[in-house]
Amino acid sequence: MEAVTKLDPVIDIRGLALSFEQNGQRTDVLRGLDLAVEQGEFIALVGASGVGKSTLLRVLMGLAAPTAGTVQVHPDPAAERPMALVFQDARLLPWRRVWSNVAFGLEKTSLNKAERRKRAMQALSVVGLADLAERWPWQLSGGQRQRVSLARALAVRPSILLMDEPFSALDVATREGLQDELIRVWRQMGKTIVFVTHDIDEAIYLADRIVALGGKPGEVKAVRTVDQPRPRKRGSIAMQDLAALVKADISAEGAPQRDDWVI
Amino acid sequence: MTRSLLNRSLPAIGLVAFLLAWEAAPLLGLAQRSLVPLPSELPAAFLREVKSGIWQTSVWLSLSHYTMGLFVGAGAGVGLGIVTGMSGVAEGLLAWVNRVLRPIPGLAWVPFAIIWFGVNQSGAVFIISVGVFWIVYFATHGAIRSVDRDLIEVAKAFGFASAPERLIKVLLPAATPGILVGLRTALGQAWMAVVAAELFGVTGLGSRMMQASSLLATDIVVVYMLTMAALYGLMDALFMFAQGRLLQWKP
Ligand SMILES: Nc1ncnc2c1ncn2[C@@H]1O[C@H](COP(=O)(O)OP(=O)(O)OP(=O)(O)O)[C@@H](O)[C@H]1O
Ligand SMILES: [Mg+2]
């Protein structure tokens, strides 16, 4: 089975370019980006702020159209939902209680309400928030909101899970707990994960491969394979060496330009 | 504790003071006795109206004009507001039409109401709905237009890509507070439209007030003014209750 799927990448991006047009001014965000992701792979996506990581996930999700190039996604047809995205900002629906936010994507499946609720509660326990199920989003802290948003994506059991800095607002203990939880879910469900992070140690702890984006417009600068068996030890010497390399990959182009952002 | 009690009784104290001042005004020579009915005369006038059954009939008829007009006007306003809020084409098509029709006051439609519907319930309902329509339409259109694009993206990302799904899953719930603001304004506006609609002869509170005033029965006029205020208060309270239920999720 492995051999068959290896031939056909789950995500196949070729020559991807994307630019925004604003007031007649064009901003090239991505150009000539190639990336192939294998079935079941855990990819960490790193790169300077504004390099286009979120934009890349939006393209994969079908929320933004490439200006040039091809993007092919082949999610497992047996999965309940092809893909899910954990947005960089939590984006909870304020008129739904926490559990109902988590159940949101399940309304696209054939599950009935009781099953949806049950599934939502399971996903909430994974992120450790089962006891806040009846709250409204405004009654949550920023980190709790982020975890609900993570649960919302996990609940639909997607074949491909796209995650945009999902742990950025969490304390170290919660974050490490969730990292392990994510690895567990990933191995158990055979998902393909693309995980954006600014935390290089996190990337190394989690990923099979680390893809560094860089340049302006952004492209793949380097791909590093993490050759460490799981469960990994945090902060081992090998990991520290790798971290230095990835750090160099990211900053090869120097810090982002001052005129990086429009206006 | 005593402070909050005092605060809460302030409105009642204000009302009593107002009634006393009103009662006293003619005695102090501040107003001509025949032009202003005294508050103390009102209960008797009210009972007379109730006994003859006119009060019940008028209230019933006006309420039915009011609710039907509100229903039709608000329904059309919400419906069209959603359409132009979601579709740039519809918005563009209607932009000038709206601009032409909107400034026309409800009363100006009275001649057409009479020509199209006659002096009857439908005519009254028409005038009321015209008044309600614009308020609700603009509130709905604005509310739908200003829904956070990020939330629409969430719906898309979780597979709700079609327009009806977008509407049900995100646009309507997100726009509800804005639509309700419009509806609440319309709730008050509709009473004014009721009087306007009934002034041209359709039976109801408005026509009864006209009759009474032509006979200089000011006490009866005031009875109906207060009736209308009470009905409005009741509607508004019911509305606020429903709104509280609908917007539980608001902090
Ligand atoms: N809607 C938009 N219109 C114009 N420019 C945009 C838009 N969205 C993003 N950009 C630009 O595209 C670039 C990439 O943005 P993106 O959000 O993908 O960055 P990122 O790598 O995720 O950064 P961060 O790590 O800070 O989240 C940025 O320079 C940003 O200014
Ligand atoms: Mg980002």
Side-chain angles (χ1 to χ4, degrees):
Chain A
M1 194 172 103
E2 281 285 288
V4 178
T5 46
K6 277 262 155 64
L7 293 176
D8 205 11
V10 172
I11 298 173
D12 197 357
I13 305 171
R14 293 195 189 167
L16 169 66
L18 189 142
S19 29
F20 289 108
E21 199 89 43
Q22 224 170 30
N23 314 329
Q25 223 189 346
R26 222 181 75 168
T27 323
D28 296 317
V29 176
L30 301 170
R31 183 157 60 199
L33 191 145
D34 299 304
L35 181 66
V37 180
E38 306 289 334
Q39 158 64 36
E41 231 187 335
F42 197 131
I43 296 286
L45 202 57
V46 296
S49 174
V51 79
K53 303 180 296 296
S54 298
T55 306
L56 179 56
L57 292 195
R58 288 165 44 82
V59 170
L60 286 174
M61 198 66 219
L63 298 173
T67 320
T70 60
V71 177
Q72 290 188 354
V73 216
H74 305 286
D76 179 0
E80 270 173 45
R81 293 281 310 151
M83 294 201 264
L85 169 60
V86 182
F87 290 90
Q88 186 167 359
D89 42 347
R91 297 200 192 177
L92 303 183
L93 306 176
W95 56 87
R96 284 170 174 256
R97 292 186 188 276
V98 163
W99 76 265
S100 172
N101 259 289
V102 176
F104 182 62
L106 298 171
E107 287 162 24
K108 194 69 190 176
T109 67
S110 56
L111 299 177
N112 67 33
K113 188 165 179 181
E115 291 166 331
R116 293 202 298 264
R117 196 189 151 96
K118 198 170 147 223
R119 183 79 77 77
M121 294 306 296
Q122 282 169 3
L124 278 172
S125 338
V126 169
V127 299
L129 291 179
D131 47 341
L132 301 188
E134 293 300 328
R135 290 225 188 149
W136 298 107
W138 61 271
Q139 295 169 317
L140 303 182
S141 75
Q144 289 168 339
R145 252 173 249 164
Q146 205 176 29
R147 281 186 278 162
V148 173
S149 161
L150 171 61
R152 175 172 66 185
L154 290 177
V156 299
R157 301 191 180 158
S159 164
I160 304 173
L161 184 53
L162 309 174
M163 312 175 78
D164 202 346
E165 304 185 31
F167 304 149
S168 60
L170 304 179
D171 63 284
V172 179
T174 313
R175 170 193 289 236
E176 292 186 349
L178 278 179
Q179 287 169 351
D180 293 333
E181 201 60 38
L182 179 63
I183 291 292
R184 190 184 63 74
V185 171
W186 167 64
R187 300 184 99 176
Q188 190 179 314
M189 311 267 216
K191 291 183 199 314
T192 307
I193 297 184
V194 180
F195 186 104
V196 172
T197 180
H198 282 294
D199 181 340
I200 295 172
D201 294 329
E202 179 174 65
I204 293 172
Y205 184 72
L206 293 173
D208 296 323
R209 286 193 296 155
I210 300 174
V211 176
L213 296 189
K216 198 174 172 265
E219 56 187 333
V220 175
K221 280 288 169 206
V223 179
R224 305 269 174 195
T225 304
V226 187
D227 262 333
Q228 299 274 323
R230 291 191 176 87
R232 291 175 179 162
K233 230 169 76 69
R234 294 176 196 277
S236 67
I237 301 291
M239 282 171 130
Q240 283 172 20
D241 291 345
L242 188 55
L245 287 175
V246 174
K247 213 168 182 176
D249 293 338
I250 295 171
S251 50
E253 292 293 300
Q257 305 290 301
R258 275 260 219 87
D259 58 355
D260 195 26
W261 236 119
V262 192
I263 304 165
Chain B
M1 192 68 205
T2 47
R3 219 201 159 83
S4 78
L5 198 70
L6 184 70
N7 277 343
R8 258 184 288 147
S9 49
L10 278 181
I13 295 173
L15 182 65
V16 170
F18 172 74
L19 289 177
L20 284 177
W22 180 358
E23 187 81 38
L27 302 176
L28 300 173
L30 292 173
Q32 223 173 345
R33 181 65 198 82
S34 61
L35 294 184
V36 189
L38 293 179
S40 54
E41 299 167 354
L42 296 177
F46 174 62
L47 281 182
R48 253 183 292 127
E49 289 291 297
V50 171
K51 273 213 187 90
S52 63
I54 297 175
W55 187 83
Q56 292 92 318
T57 318
S58 309
V59 166
W60 170 248
L61 286 174
S62 283
L63 263 183
S64 72
H65 301 156
Y66 177 82
T67 43
M68 282 200 285
L70 201 61
F71 202 73
V72 172
V78 169
L80 200 65
I82 287 174
V83 171
T84 58
M86 288 180 73
S87 149
V89 176
E91 186 182 15
L93 279 176
L94 289 179
W96 282 34
V97 177
N98 284 347
R99 219 164 273 165
V100 170
L101 292 180
R102 191 208 181 170
I104 302 173
L107 263 183
W109 289 102
V110 168
F112 283 104
I114 294 175
I115 294 168
W116 292 341
F117 301 97
V119 182
N120 57 29
Q121 304 243 18
S122 314
V125 169
F126 170 74
I127 291 170
I128 297 164
S129 14
V130 169
V132 167
F133 171 79
W134 290 109
I135 301 171
V136 177
Y137 168 69
F138 281 104
T140 305
H141 174 83
I144 294 276
R145 282 304 298 271
S146 56
V147 172
D148 191 348
R149 293 184 58 96
D150 286 356
L151 296 184
I152 299 172
E153 237 181 41
V154 170
K156 253 195 210 160
F158 282 93
F160 304 107
S162 72
E165 284 174 325
R166 216 173 352 131
L167 179 65
I168 302 289
K169 294 294 177 191
V170 175
L171 293 179
L172 262 189
T176 299
I179 296 176
L180 288 179
V181 170
L183 277 179
R184 190 171 181 208
T185 315
L187 226 53
Q189 189 65 38
W191 274 119
M192 298 180 204
V194 165
V195 178
E198 290 170 356
L199 285 184
F200 74 88
V202 183
T203 315
L205 296 174
S207 59
R208 182 62 182 152
M209 280 168 87
M210 280 308 276
Q211 276 173 7
S213 76
S214 64
L215 300 172
L216 287 180
T218 50
D219 51 349
I220 294 181
V221 174
V222 173
V223 162
Y224 282 101
M225 284 166 74
L226 293 179
T227 300
M228 225 173 266
L231 288 174
Y232 169 72
L234 182 71
M235 293 290 167
D236 197 52
L238 285 176
F239 181 84
M240 288 311 277
F241 175 74
Q243 171 167 284
R245 303 297 310 259
L246 275 172
L247 298 187
Q248 266 186 72
W249 52 272
K250 284 238 147 195

